[in-house]
Amino acid sequence: MRIAVFPGSFDPVTLGHMDVIERAAQLFDRVYLCAMANGEKHPTFTPEQRLAMLTAAAAPLPNVTAELWTGLLADYARERGAQYLVKGVRNGADFDNEFGMAVINRSLCPGLDTVLLPARPEYLHFSSTMVREMIKYHRPLEKYMPRAAAECVKGWDQDGKQ
Ligand code: PNS
């Protein structure tokens, strides 16, 4: 069984992430979405909110599961029996960053390989930062996020929690 992990901050999940998730779900038997902390960023959404958005977005994909993890990514992959990490790359800067992390993760967990999927052209300019701006300025979120995740954000807005 080919098992892959797609890690990220997912703060929030975007249509660009979703494209990579759907492609990974075709390539692998099982895909775990791992919502983590990026040591260089302070997330806007809580871990539980990021997980709720990911879970809602991935609900139509039967072989995809979303979870939270606070440790090293390589340890999570080992616990799930994954042989692959999946990452989306939009440009050379992403590639350079991912290349370095792939080498580290493989040294932490021998046999754990990283598969880089190039972003589709329509998502080259997508980022969670951009989507957070759209949320802030009340733009139609379905253009930027999976619909189910956008519904989560609207619900939190109404509750006054966001
Ligand atoms: O969506 P992001 O912010 O680009 O995701 C980055 C993330 C969370 C995948 C990365 O920071 C990460 O892998 N963090 C886990 C910590 C870890 O395992 N570090 C060692 C490998 S570099």
Side-chain angles (χ1 to χ4, degrees), residues 7-10 17 34 36-39 41 71-74 87 97-98 100-101 104-105 108:
S9 306
F10 301 114
H17 291 130
C34 182
M36 311 188 69
N38 181 333
K41 300 178 188 170
L72 281 175
L73 175 59
K87 303 284 194 84
N97 196 26
E98 295 302 343
M101 287 199 280
I104 295 168
N105 283 317
L108 289 169

Side-chain angles (χ1 to χ4, degrees), residues 50-65:
R50 290 184 281 131
L51 178 64
M53 289 185 279
L54 263 186
T55 302
L61 302 169
N63 61 337
V64 179
T65 305

